[in-house]
């Protein structure tokens, strides 16, 4: 490995997940189960821990969406458009979880 690239090895996935300046989560496509939510998502939902977050939303991505927005969000994900005013999503096939979505939420202007 080239020495210049070695500085990047000081960062691990946990560091990135905890310190990224935006809210994001990962969920399973087949049942909507949230597999991961970062600290910023917990903060904007007013949850003090992952356990409180899970209780608050019911562990499913549907719990993060207003009922009137759910059908449109699912359709957007299914079409792999993945980009809206509120979120950007990307679906990948994971060998352990099957199809999963990575979603980054964009804060509303009043949340910035």
């Amino acid at each position: 490995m080239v020495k210049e690239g070695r500085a990047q090895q000081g960062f691990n996935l946990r560091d990135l997940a905890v310190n990224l300046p935006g809210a994001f989560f990962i969920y399973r496509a087949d049942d909507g189960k949230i597999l991961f939510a970062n600290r910023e998502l917990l903060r904007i939902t007013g949850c003090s821990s992952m356990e409180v977050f899970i209780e608050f939303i019911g562990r499913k991505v549907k719990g993060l969406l207003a009922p009137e927005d759910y059908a449109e969000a699912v359709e957007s994900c299914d079409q792999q458009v993945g980009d809206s005013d509120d979120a950007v999503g990307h679906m990948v096939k994971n060998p352990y979880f099957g199809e999963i979505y990575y979603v980054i939420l964009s804060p509303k202007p009043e949340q910035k």
Side-chain angles (χ1 to χ4, degrees):
M1 179 176 281
V2 179
K3 281 190 176 186
E4 292 89 25
R6 296 199 68 183
Q8 294 178 12
Q9 291 180 351
F11 297 99
N12 63 37
L13 292 178
R14 180 166 166 45
D15 291 334
L16 291 172
V18 168
N19 295 307
L20 279 174
F24 76 94
F25 62 98
I26 303 167
Y27 74 96
R28 214 168 31 207
D30 63 353
D31 62 2
K33 181 179 179 182
I34 293 183
L35 304 171
F36 176 83
N38 76 338
R39 188 178 295 166
E40 180 63 9
L41 183 57
L42 299 182
R43 186 193 69 75
I44 66 173
T45 57
C47 298
S48 58
S49 68
M50 189 63 171
E51 291 77 20
V52 172
F53 176 75
I54 290 169
E55 184 177 327
F56 176 66
I57 65 150
R59 194 172 248 317
K60 302 277 182 152
V61 71
K62 189 173 185 175
L64 286 173
L65 301 168
E68 62 272 13
D69 295 337
Y70 184 72
E72 182 181 341
V74 169
E75 182 180 337
S76 175
C77 287
D78 288 346
Q79 292 177 1
Q80 278 293 287
V81 174
D83 196 2
S84 73
D85 293 339
D86 300 329
V88 176
H90 178 69
M91 192 270 290
V92 298
K93 290 192 179 199
N94 179 281
Y96 302 104
F97 297 106
E99 293 180 343
I100 59 172
Y101 284 96
Y102 290 85
V103 180
I104 300 171
L105 301 179
S106 302
K108 301 282 187 199
E110 65 272 8
Q111 292 177 324
K112 289 183 179 179

